[in-house]
Amino acid sequence: MSVFAAAPLAPRDPILGLNEQFNADTRADKVNLGVGVYTDAGGKLPLLDCVRAAEAQLAAQPAPRGYLPIDGIPGYVQGAQRQVFGADAAVLQQGRVASLQALGGTGALKVGGDFLKRLQPDARVWISDPSWENHRALFSNAGFEVLSYPYYDATAQGVAFEALLDTLSRDARPGDVVVLHACCHNPTGYDLSRAQWEALVPLLHKQQLVPFLDMAYQGFGAGLNEDAFAVRLMAEAGLAFLVASSFSKSFSLYGERVGSLHVVCGDRDEATRVQSQLKVTARTTYSNPPTHGGKVVAMVLNDPQLCAQWEQELAGMRQRIAAMRTGLVSALKAAGVTAPVDFIAEQRGMFSYSGLKAAQMQRLRSEFGVYGVDSGRICVAALNEANLPRVAEAVAAVMQA
């Protein structure tokens, strides 16, 4: 008998598995609202003009493809730091941030989680209820006990902020890690307000908790600087914390795995020691990051003209998502939906927590070829003028049954 005979069959990933199901569907009018990918008005994954220009420059000066440093391309890391913390951030000037280029936002979470487990083996990890499900898997596989704090208030259609504060103040222990969505909460689309962030930070400090901010959608909410409000607030408050950041969505470079991990430390010496530990973690996980995507992003972020072009293209993506939100609300009402749906336009980012039940989502897939996850989350960034009426009619049909 093979030693592998004892390996159980793992369940399909709830999102990527859904994508496999969508690809196998032969219906010509199927719509994929499950996977978190931005598509343009024509339903295509865009190649940004700034990326095209950067790749043309790289192609004109071909270079050998040697190994990168363990912590990545210096220009990439510095550009990522400026986007996350602000170009003039005190924590950067003081050398208090340990950073590395990571394999997307997921790789940043993985490296950060493994580092924290070695540093604080008895800590627990708190994630929002609901959260991106890979949060639970990543930290569970790192060996942490993973708990949930209240986040979504279905009745009020917003954040259950008082319950969130009450749970963390009552049940979280010093040293526990609290995973927070910096902006564009996945899956609900409901973010903390500035006032709520300002109320949460003192609690995190008082309880001696370790914030781990996941910022996968910077620029898709209100803007690059606006979406980094929570990160910069914590930095100014003097907290020690981690940030996992990603350019996958904002550059439309999903397959290039362009992410970064940042750890804000107490002083320069502490940051030097933490940097050494992050490099050990990366070295023993994937050795070093890939080259191409990092070079493209570094070139754009460090070229004022290309960077301005990127910001303009990112603003266009953000505005199109907002237009699809309001368009969906109007289309649902036109299709005869009488239940409240205006909340869809109030959410931020790529996703909407639609309020649909699992059975309704399953009907959408089986009867109408409209794919979303059973939690009711749909990717509004995948809507366009062509598929929006059909999606609205399908949703109306399952809501009114």
Side-chain angles (χ1 to χ4, degrees), residues 128-150:
S128 64
D129 180 18
S131 189
W132 181 48
E133 195 55 35
N134 215 20
H135 281 154
R136 182 177 300 280
L138 282 164
F139 290 102
S140 294
N141 286 349
F144 286 102
E145 178 186 1
V146 179
L147 305 169
S148 295
Y149 58 84

Side-chain angles (χ1 to χ4, degrees), residues 10 48 61 64 132 171 224 290 296 319 326 343 401:
L48 301 190
Q61 299 176 329
W132 181 48
D171 298 332
L224 284 166
V296 169
Q319 291 160 7
T326 57
F343 65 88

Side-chain angles (χ1 to χ4, degrees), residues 156-159 184-185 188-192 221-222 321-322 324-327 329 333 340-349 351-353 380:
Q157 292 175 332
V159 178
C184 305
H185 185 272
T188 70
Y190 291 110
D191 289 342
L192 298 183
I321 293 173
M324 288 301 98
R325 286 189 178 280
T326 57
V329 170
K333 292 179 178 179
V341 292
D342 289 327
F343 65 88
I344 295 172
E346 298 167 3
Q347 298 163 340
R348 282 185 173 179
F351 303 109
S352 172
Y353 222 43
V380 292

Side-chain angles (χ1 to χ4, degrees), residues 53-248:
E55 289 185 321
Q57 292 185 39
L58 290 172
Q61 299 176 329
R65 305 299 173 91
Y67 288 123
L68 292 183
I70 296 172
D71 44 7
I73 301 168
Y76 173 93
V77 174
Q78 293 159 10
Q81 286 180 332
R82 292 195 301 271
Q83 291 301 320
V84 171
F85 298 100
D88 301 321
V91 289
L92 297 181
Q93 296 173 356
Q94 295 161 2
R96 291 171 46 209
V97 183
S99 300
L100 56 72
Q101 179 182 345
L103 300 182
T106 303
L109 290 164
K110 169 65 174 171
V111 170
D114 288 350
F115 162 66
L116 286 171
K117 184 60 180 177
R118 290 201 311 274
L119 194 67
Q120 300 195 117
D122 296 327
R124 304 170 302 172
V125 172
W126 294 82
I127 65 173
S128 64
D129 180 18
S131 189
W132 181 48
E133 195 55 35
N134 215 20
H135 281 154
R136 182 177 300 280
L138 282 164
F139 290 102
S140 294
N141 286 349
F144 286 102
E145 178 186 1
V146 179
L147 305 169
S148 295
Y149 58 84
Y151 190 85
Y152 176 58
D153 184 336
T155 303
Q157 292 175 332
V159 178
F161 187 63
E162 293 305 318
L164 181 160
L165 292 179
D166 181 64
T167 297
L168 292 181
S169 62
R170 183 186 64 248
D171 298 332
R173 301 191 301 234
D176 279 359
V177 179
V178 182
V179 178
L180 297 156
H181 301 233
C183 61
C184 305
H185 185 272
N186 178 7
T188 70
Y190 291 110
D191 289 342
L192 298 183
S193 67
R194 290 195 171 202
Q196 289 171 332
W197 280 116
E198 289 167 348
L200 177 59
V201 166
L203 172 64
L204 297 171
H205 185 269
K206 178 183 177 183
Q207 296 292 108
Q208 301 177 53
L209 303 177
V210 182
F212 198 153
L213 289 155
D214 188 355
M215 190 160 62
Y217 306 99
Q218 185 182 8
F220 272 74
L224 284 166
N225 291 321
E226 294 87 343
D227 291 349
F229 174 79
V231 174
R232 298 174 188 183
L233 178 68
M234 290 186 186
E236 292 168 2
L239 269 63
F241 64 100
L242 302 87
V243 184
S245 178
S246 171
F247 292 116
S248 294

